[in-house]
Amino acid sequence: MEQGAELIDVLIVGAGHGGAQAAITLRQLGFEGSIALLGDEPYLPYERPPLSKDYLAGEKDFDRLLIRPKYFWEERAIKMLVGRKATKIDPMAKTVWTETGETFHYRNLIWSAGGSARTLQCPGAELEGVHTLRTRRDADGIKHALSNTSTVVIVGGGYIGLEAAAALTKLGKSVVVLEAQDRVLARVAGEPLSRFFEDEHRSHGVDIKLNMSVKRILGGPSVTGVELSDGAVINCEMVIVGIGIIPSVGPLIAAGAAGRNGVDVDAACRTSLPDVYAIGDCACHPNEFAEGRPVRLESVQNSSDQAIVVANLLSGKAAAYAATPWFWSTQYDLKLQTVGLSSGFDQFVIRGNPLLRSFSVIYLKAGRVIALDCINSIRDYVQGKKLVEAHIHVDPADLADLDVPLKSWLECLAS
Amino acid sequence: MSITVSTRSGQTLELEGRTGLSLMEVIREGGVDELLALCGGCCSCATCHIFIDEESLAKLPPISSDENDLLDGSSHRNERSRLACQIPYTADLDGLHAQIAPED
């Protein structure tokens, strides 16, 4: 063992939602060993979702995003080692190295490092004024530059891109969204939801260009425009790239952990390395709501619930990850709530009227409800969640009938 | 200005209220670990479910249909149930007592 390095009972890499929750739950369960969190950002754990929503729109200060106040961590003897990026691990010596050469020894390691925003590879991608939106620093960089910005080109029509489009439109910016596929949200939602959001954004003045990618970014040193795949040029002062994340698992994989899409874990969030667990955005886990297939979920729900599983295990209690996936997004006055995992659906039903801006897309596979995307329709979300959990067969025609509450299916089941 | 909060683990804490925050944020800032408040207060989950003392209940803003529907998802809902994130903290609420609802 290297001299001077501390032995930590539970070392958590990543100070996001997952890392914070793991530490909180360990103490709640009475874990008395030492706990430390290594975070690559220089901040205490904070909520990431508002960065593309109310924080970006200037409606919420950073202080209100803190998951817990500073004294909370001190009181519970949870050591916050922020501003340190873990770059190497030795699973035999049970040691983690940081970028600056600090070393930490662990008995158990929880890897909750999330991911880094994927960047563009085209010419001009490094110009000043090209942003990603994953961290507080990213969001502050965007906010800081807004006073000199009238037009923003957003690359990527996923949740981050669309939420940013809504927030920036609210701030009076002219916004263009470029989506490489033939619809927005193509990776995560069914076509009716994509078309609905495209219409909503267009009605707020957002220019959505589908089947369109970036050939190069123009300017120097600052962005002056974007040249599109069709040769057209859009003049702009800012580009926001929202094209997904790359799971931050390099040191684990280099140390021999299995994983191709993030790091592989079992139902107890164990990686293939001894006493190394992984949770959150970077953990590729078997998910009951995907028929047991390995999936990687990027959500607060997933990181928090997996954190609770690992905290239980490390406190000597049996636990396995089986939580129902849910997710939310807010854009303008629209509240989207999703439950279950829709990938692999073979049929969908629209319940309610998209023109009234309150409806749900219900996804089925082999006659069972596997997921719902609910727009301004919390009741269907709440009741639909139970349908997804019950894995029961339903008649699709009846699902569309607003006079039949979704919970009536469960009452049938109970009787 | 203070409120009291009873936790699931049986502790009772006296917390300083602060206007401009929601009751959820007051409880979270007060260091209560049981309140998950996963969605950060945008009325998208129900992980800040609390029971409010009867007297204070009448002083609260009415429950919205969104909050009502979310609470309906909890098997522990009763007539004193609210989502803490939907209650702006005001001086009026001095003396309020909140109990963290059981986990669903």
PDB file of all heavy atoms in Angstrom, chain B residues 77-101:
ATOM      1  N   ARG B  77     -51.681   7.857   0.996  1.00  0.00           N
ATOM      2  CA  ARG B  77     -52.341   9.150   0.968  1.00  0.00           C
ATOM      3  C   ARG B  77     -53.453   9.222   2.008  1.00  0.00           C
ATOM      4  O   ARG B  77     -54.220   8.277   2.171  1.00  0.00           O
ATOM      5  CB  ARG B  77     -52.943   9.397  -0.412  1.00  0.00           C
ATOM      6  CG  ARG B  77     -53.599  10.757  -0.460  1.00  0.00           C
ATOM      7  CD  ARG B  77     -54.205  11.102  -1.780  1.00  0.00           C
ATOM      8  NE  ARG B  77     -54.530  12.527  -1.736  1.00  0.00           N
ATOM      9  CZ  ARG B  77     -54.915  13.217  -2.759  1.00  0.00           C
ATOM     10  NH1 ARG B  77     -55.015  12.656  -3.939  1.00  0.00           N
ATOM     11  NH2 ARG B  77     -55.196  14.501  -2.631  1.00  0.00           N
ATOM     12  N   ASN B  78     -53.527  10.356   2.700  1.00  0.00           N
ATOM     13  CA  ASN B  78     -54.688  10.611   3.540  1.00  0.00           C
ATOM     14  C   ASN B  78     -55.107  12.075   3.386  1.00  0.00           C
ATOM     15  O   ASN B  78     -54.564  12.789   2.541  1.00  0.00           O
ATOM     16  CB  ASN B  78     -54.423  10.205   5.007  1.00  0.00           C
ATOM     17  CG  ASN B  78     -53.375  11.084   5.669  1.00  0.00           C
ATOM     18  OD1 ASN B  78     -53.185  12.260   5.290  1.00  0.00           O
ATOM     19  ND2 ASN B  78     -52.687  10.542   6.659  1.00  0.00           N
ATOM     20  N   GLU B  79     -56.040  12.505   4.204  1.00  0.00           N
ATOM     21  CA  GLU B  79     -56.583  13.872   4.020  1.00  0.00           C
ATOM     22  C   GLU B  79     -55.576  14.957   4.405  1.00  0.00           C
ATOM     23  O   GLU B  79     -55.776  16.124   4.108  1.00  0.00           O
ATOM     24  CB  GLU B  79     -57.929  14.042   4.750  1.00  0.00           C
ATOM     25  CG  GLU B  79     -57.903  13.910   6.258  1.00  0.00           C
ATOM     26  CD  GLU B  79     -57.662  12.475   6.744  1.00  0.00           C
ATOM     27  OE1 GLU B  79     -57.766  11.502   5.961  1.00  0.00           O
ATOM     28  OE2 GLU B  79     -57.356  12.337   7.944  1.00  0.00           O
ATOM     29  N   ARG B  80     -54.475  14.568   5.027  1.00  0.00           N
ATOM     30  CA  ARG B  80     -53.451  15.559   5.389  1.00  0.00           C
ATOM     31  C   ARG B  80     -52.232  15.502   4.467  1.00  0.00           C
ATOM     32  O   ARG B  80     -51.210  16.092   4.728  1.00  0.00           O
ATOM     33  CB  ARG B  80     -53.036  15.358   6.850  1.00  0.00           C
ATOM     34  CG  ARG B  80     -54.193  15.608   7.839  1.00  0.00           C
ATOM     35  CD  ARG B  80     -53.741  15.635   9.282  1.00  0.00           C
ATOM     36  NE  ARG B  80     -53.284  14.343   9.749  1.00  0.00           N
ATOM     37  CZ  ARG B  80     -52.009  14.064  10.074  1.00  0.00           C
ATOM     38  NH1 ARG B  80     -51.092  15.020   9.997  1.00  0.00           N
ATOM     39  NH2 ARG B  80     -51.677  12.869  10.478  1.00  0.00           N
ATOM     40  N   SER B  81     -52.374  14.775   3.365  1.00  0.00           N
ATOM     41  CA  SER B  81     -51.253  14.605   2.428  1.00  0.00           C
ATOM     42  C   SER B  81     -51.037  15.836   1.556  1.00  0.00           C
ATOM     43  O   SER B  81     -51.999  16.416   1.044  1.00  0.00           O
ATOM     44  CB  SER B  81     -51.534  13.426   1.487  1.00  0.00           C
ATOM     45  OG  SER B  81     -51.432  12.212   2.165  1.00  0.00           O
ATOM     46  N   ARG B  82     -49.787  16.217   1.393  1.00  0.00           N
ATOM     47  CA  ARG B  82     -49.414  17.238   0.385  1.00  0.00           C
ATOM     48  C   ARG B  82     -48.041  16.877  -0.172  1.00  0.00           C
ATOM     49  O   ARG B  82     -47.279  16.124   0.448  1.00  0.00           O
ATOM     50  CB  ARG B  82     -49.323  18.642   1.025  1.00  0.00           C
ATOM     51  CG  ARG B  82     -50.634  19.235   1.493  1.00  0.00           C
ATOM     52  CD  ARG B  82     -51.634  19.511   0.387  1.00  0.00           C
ATOM     53  NE  ARG B  82     -51.154  20.370  -0.671  1.00  0.00           N
ATOM     54  CZ  ARG B  82     -51.514  21.651  -0.844  1.00  0.00           C
ATOM     55  NH1 ARG B  82     -52.342  22.222  -0.007  1.00  0.00           N
ATOM     56  NH2 ARG B  82     -51.062  22.346  -1.875  1.00  0.00           N
ATOM     57  N   LEU B  83     -47.729  17.471  -1.327  1.00  0.00           N
ATOM     58  CA  LEU B  83     -46.361  17.398  -1.831  1.00  0.00           C
ATOM     59  C   LEU B  83     -45.652  18.670  -1.359  1.00  0.00           C
ATOM     60  O   LEU B  83     -46.096  19.792  -1.663  1.00  0.00           O
ATOM     61  CB  LEU B  83     -46.332  17.299  -3.356  1.00  0.00           C
ATOM     62  CG  LEU B  83     -46.940  16.025  -3.946  1.00  0.00           C
ATOM     63  CD1 LEU B  83     -46.828  16.034  -5.469  1.00  0.00           C
ATOM     64  CD2 LEU B  83     -46.285  14.772  -3.373  1.00  0.00           C
ATOM     65  N   ALA B  84     -44.569  18.486  -0.615  1.00  0.00           N
ATOM     66  CA  ALA B  84     -43.899  19.634   0.007  1.00  0.00           C
ATOM     67  C   ALA B  84     -43.389  20.632  -1.025  1.00  0.00           C
ATOM     68  O   ALA B  84     -43.282  21.827  -0.750  1.00  0.00           O
ATOM     69  CB  ALA B  84     -42.743  19.138   0.879  1.00  0.00           C
ATOM     70  N   CYS B  85     -43.094  20.147  -2.235  1.00  0.00           N
ATOM     71  CA  CYS B  85     -42.529  21.058  -3.248  1.00  0.00           C
ATOM     72  C   CYS B  85     -43.567  22.037  -3.768  1.00  0.00           C
ATOM     73  O   CYS B  85     -43.222  23.030  -4.404  1.00  0.00           O
ATOM     74  CB  CYS B  85     -41.910  20.270  -4.405  1.00  0.00           C
ATOM     75  SG  CYS B  85     -43.095  19.534  -5.535  1.00  0.00           S
ATOM     76  N   GLN B  86     -44.838  21.756  -3.524  1.00  0.00           N
ATOM     77  CA  GLN B  86     -45.888  22.617  -4.065  1.00  0.00           C
ATOM     78  C   GLN B  86     -46.361  23.665  -3.053  1.00  0.00           C
ATOM     79  O   GLN B  86     -47.331  24.375  -3.289  1.00  0.00           O
ATOM     80  CB  GLN B  86     -47.070  21.753  -4.534  1.00  0.00           C
ATOM     81  CG  GLN B  86     -46.709  20.848  -5.700  1.00  0.00           C
ATOM     82  CD  GLN B  86     -46.157  21.642  -6.877  1.00  0.00           C
ATOM     83  OE1 GLN B  86     -46.848  22.465  -7.462  1.00  0.00           O
ATOM     84  NE2 GLN B  86     -44.882  21.412  -7.191  1.00  0.00           N
ATOM     85  N   ILE B  87     -45.657  23.760  -1.925  1.00  0.00           N
ATOM     86  CA  ILE B  87     -46.068  24.701  -0.889  1.00  0.00           C
ATOM     87  C   ILE B  87     -44.984  25.767  -0.708  1.00  0.00           C
ATOM     88  O   ILE B  87     -43.903  25.470  -0.201  1.00  0.00           O
ATOM     89  CB  ILE B  87     -46.308  23.954   0.444  1.00  0.00           C
ATOM     90  CG1 ILE B  87     -47.396  22.906   0.247  1.00  0.00           C
ATOM     91  CG2 ILE B  87     -46.672  24.932   1.554  1.00  0.00           C
ATOM     92  CD1 ILE B  87     -47.539  21.942   1.407  1.00  0.00           C
ATOM     93  N   PRO B  88     -45.246  26.986  -1.145  1.00  0.00           N
ATOM     94  CA  PRO B  88     -44.251  28.037  -0.918  1.00  0.00           C
ATOM     95  C   PRO B  88     -44.189  28.341   0.568  1.00  0.00           C
ATOM     96  O   PRO B  88     -45.231  28.451   1.223  1.00  0.00           O
ATOM     97  CB  PRO B  88     -44.806  29.245  -1.690  1.00  0.00           C
ATOM     98  CG  PRO B  88     -45.992  28.756  -2.452  1.00  0.00           C
ATOM     99  CD  PRO B  88     -46.460  27.486  -1.817  1.00  0.00           C
ATOM    100  N   TYR B  89     -42.978  28.457   1.100  1.00  0.00           N
ATOM    101  CA  TYR B  89     -42.877  28.765   2.522  1.00  0.00           C
ATOM    102  C   TYR B  89     -43.171  30.243   2.747  1.00  0.00           C
ATOM    103  O   TYR B  89     -42.600  31.100   2.087  1.00  0.00           O
ATOM    104  CB  TYR B  89     -41.484  28.408   3.076  1.00  0.00           C
ATOM    105  CG  TYR B  89     -41.478  28.614   4.566  1.00  0.00           C
ATOM    106  CD1 TYR B  89     -42.005  27.642   5.408  1.00  0.00           C
ATOM    107  CD2 TYR B  89     -41.040  29.811   5.115  1.00  0.00           C
ATOM    108  CE1 TYR B  89     -42.084  27.849   6.773  1.00  0.00           C
ATOM    109  CE2 TYR B  89     -41.111  30.030   6.482  1.00  0.00           C
ATOM    110  CZ  TYR B  89     -41.640  29.047   7.301  1.00  0.00           C
ATOM    111  OH  TYR B  89     -41.738  29.267   8.652  1.00  0.00           O
ATOM    112  N   THR B  90     -44.068  30.530   3.669  1.00  0.00           N
ATOM    113  CA  THR B  90     -44.365  31.927   4.015  1.00  0.00           C
ATOM    114  C   THR B  90     -44.377  32.038   5.541  1.00  0.00           C
ATOM    115  O   THR B  90     -44.489  31.034   6.242  1.00  0.00           O
ATOM    116  CB  THR B  90     -45.762  32.355   3.505  1.00  0.00           C
ATOM    117  OG1 THR B  90     -46.733  31.447   4.061  1.00  0.00           O
ATOM    118  CG2 THR B  90     -45.841  32.303   2.000  1.00  0.00           C
ATOM    119  N   ALA B  91     -44.281  33.285   6.026  1.00  0.00           N
ATOM    120  CA  ALA B  91     -44.246  33.530   7.471  1.00  0.00           C
ATOM    121  C   ALA B  91     -45.488  32.947   8.152  1.00  0.00           C
ATOM    122  O   ALA B  91     -45.450  32.528   9.311  1.00  0.00           O
ATOM    123  CB  ALA B  91     -44.150  35.025   7.735  1.00  0.00           C
ATOM    124  N   ASP B  92     -46.550  32.940   7.397  1.00  0.00           N
ATOM    125  CA  ASP B  92     -47.817  32.359   7.827  1.00  0.00           C
ATOM    126  C   ASP B  92     -47.711  30.933   8.356  1.00  0.00           C
ATOM    127  O   ASP B  92     -48.526  30.486   9.159  1.00  0.00           O
ATOM    128  CB  ASP B  92     -48.677  32.262   6.564  1.00  0.00           C
ATOM    129  CG  ASP B  92     -49.965  32.987   6.733  1.00  0.00           C
ATOM    130  OD1 ASP B  92     -49.962  33.944   7.519  1.00  0.00           O
ATOM    131  OD2 ASP B  92     -50.952  32.557   6.091  1.00  0.00           O
ATOM    132  N   LEU B  93     -46.724  30.223   7.830  1.00  0.00           N
ATOM    133  CA  LEU B  93     -46.614  28.794   8.133  1.00  0.00           C
ATOM    134  C   LEU B  93     -45.791  28.526   9.390  1.00  0.00           C
ATOM    135  O   LEU B  93     -45.525  27.378   9.725  1.00  0.00           O
ATOM    136  CB  LEU B  93     -46.024  28.040   6.939  1.00  0.00           C
ATOM    137  CG  LEU B  93     -46.817  28.146   5.641  1.00  0.00           C
ATOM    138  CD1 LEU B  93     -46.226  27.245   4.561  1.00  0.00           C
ATOM    139  CD2 LEU B  93     -48.282  27.767   5.859  1.00  0.00           C
ATOM    140  N   ASP B  94     -45.415  29.587  10.071  1.00  0.00           N
ATOM    141  CA  ASP B  94     -44.685  29.435  11.330  1.00  0.00           C
ATOM    142  C   ASP B  94     -45.447  28.457  12.233  1.00  0.00           C
ATOM    143  O   ASP B  94     -46.659  28.575  12.398  1.00  0.00           O
ATOM    144  CB  ASP B  94     -44.593  30.819  11.998  1.00  0.00           C
ATOM    145  CG  ASP B  94     -43.678  30.782  13.211  1.00  0.00           C
ATOM    146  OD1 ASP B  94     -42.691  30.019  13.183  1.00  0.00           O
ATOM    147  OD2 ASP B  94     -43.974  31.487  14.188  1.00  0.00           O
ATOM    148  N   GLY B  95     -44.726  27.488  12.756  1.00  0.00           N
ATOM    149  CA  GLY B  95     -45.361  26.516  13.650  1.00  0.00           C
ATOM    150  C   GLY B  95     -45.916  25.289  12.956  1.00  0.00           C
ATOM    151  O   GLY B  95     -46.431  24.378  13.610  1.00  0.00           O
ATOM    152  N   LEU B  96     -45.811  25.258  11.645  1.00  0.00           N
ATOM    153  CA  LEU B  96     -46.325  24.095  10.901  1.00  0.00           C
ATOM    154  C   LEU B  96     -45.610  22.808  11.322  1.00  0.00           C
ATOM    155  O   LEU B  96     -44.415  22.823  11.617  1.00  0.00           O
ATOM    156  CB  LEU B  96     -46.132  24.342   9.401  1.00  0.00           C
ATOM    157  CG  LEU B  96     -46.491  23.226   8.411  1.00  0.00           C
ATOM    158  CD1 LEU B  96     -47.101  23.847   7.150  1.00  0.00           C
ATOM    159  CD2 LEU B  96     -45.278  22.386   8.022  1.00  0.00           C
ATOM    160  N   HIS B  97     -46.368  21.726  11.351  1.00  0.00           N
ATOM    161  CA  HIS B  97     -45.746  20.433  11.615  1.00  0.00           C
ATOM    162  C   HIS B  97     -45.926  19.510  10.417  1.00  0.00           C
ATOM    163  O   HIS B  97     -47.042  19.340   9.933  1.00  0.00           O
ATOM    164  CB  HIS B  97     -46.343  19.775  12.862  1.00  0.00           C
ATOM    165  CG  HIS B  97     -45.776  18.409  13.090  1.00  0.00           C
ATOM    166  ND1 HIS B  97     -44.527  18.214  13.637  1.00  0.00           N
ATOM    167  CD2 HIS B  97     -46.257  17.176  12.777  1.00  0.00           C
ATOM    168  CE1 HIS B  97     -44.278  16.907  13.675  1.00  0.00           C
ATOM    169  NE2 HIS B  97     -45.308  16.261  13.159  1.00  0.00           N
ATOM    170  N   ALA B  98     -44.828  18.976   9.956  1.00  0.00           N
ATOM    171  CA  ALA B  98     -44.876  18.057   8.810  1.00  0.00           C
ATOM    172  C   ALA B  98     -44.307  16.714   9.216  1.00  0.00           C
ATOM    173  O   ALA B  98     -43.337  16.645   9.971  1.00  0.00           O
ATOM    174  CB  ALA B  98     -44.079  18.622   7.640  1.00  0.00           C
ATOM    175  N   GLN B  99     -44.925  15.677   8.715  1.00  0.00           N
ATOM    176  CA  GLN B  99     -44.423  14.327   8.967  1.00  0.00           C
ATOM    177  C   GLN B  99     -44.080  13.716   7.610  1.00  0.00           C
ATOM    178  O   GLN B  99     -44.866  13.807   6.664  1.00  0.00           O
ATOM    179  CB  GLN B  99     -45.524  13.537   9.655  1.00  0.00           C
ATOM    180  CG  GLN B  99     -45.079  12.188  10.140  1.00  0.00           C
ATOM    181  CD  GLN B  99     -46.263  11.406  10.717  1.00  0.00           C
ATOM    182  OE1 GLN B  99     -47.343  11.953  10.958  1.00  0.00           O
ATOM    183  NE2 GLN B  99     -46.064  10.126  10.895  1.00  0.00           N
ATOM    184  N   ILE B 100     -42.901  13.136   7.492  1.00  0.00           N
ATOM    185  CA  ILE B 100     -42.518  12.516   6.222  1.00  0.00           C
ATOM    186  C   ILE B 100     -43.364  11.255   6.030  1.00  0.00           C
ATOM    187  O   ILE B 100     -43.384  10.376   6.892  1.00  0.00           O
ATOM    188  CB  ILE B 100     -41.019  12.115   6.214  1.00  0.00           C
ATOM    189  CG1 ILE B 100     -40.125  13.259   6.722  1.00  0.00           C
ATOM    190  CG2 ILE B 100     -40.593  11.625   4.831  1.00  0.00           C
ATOM    191  CD1 ILE B 100     -40.003  14.449   5.843  1.00  0.00           C
ATOM    192  N   ALA B 101     -44.060  11.179   4.898  1.00  0.00           N
ATOM    193  CA  ALA B 101     -44.933  10.026   4.644  1.00  0.00           C
ATOM    194  C   ALA B 101     -44.092   8.770   4.425  1.00  0.00           C
ATOM    195  O   ALA B 101     -42.954   8.862   3.974  1.00  0.00           O
ATOM    196  CB  ALA B 101     -45.802  10.298   3.416  1.00  0.00           C
TER     197      ALA B 101
END
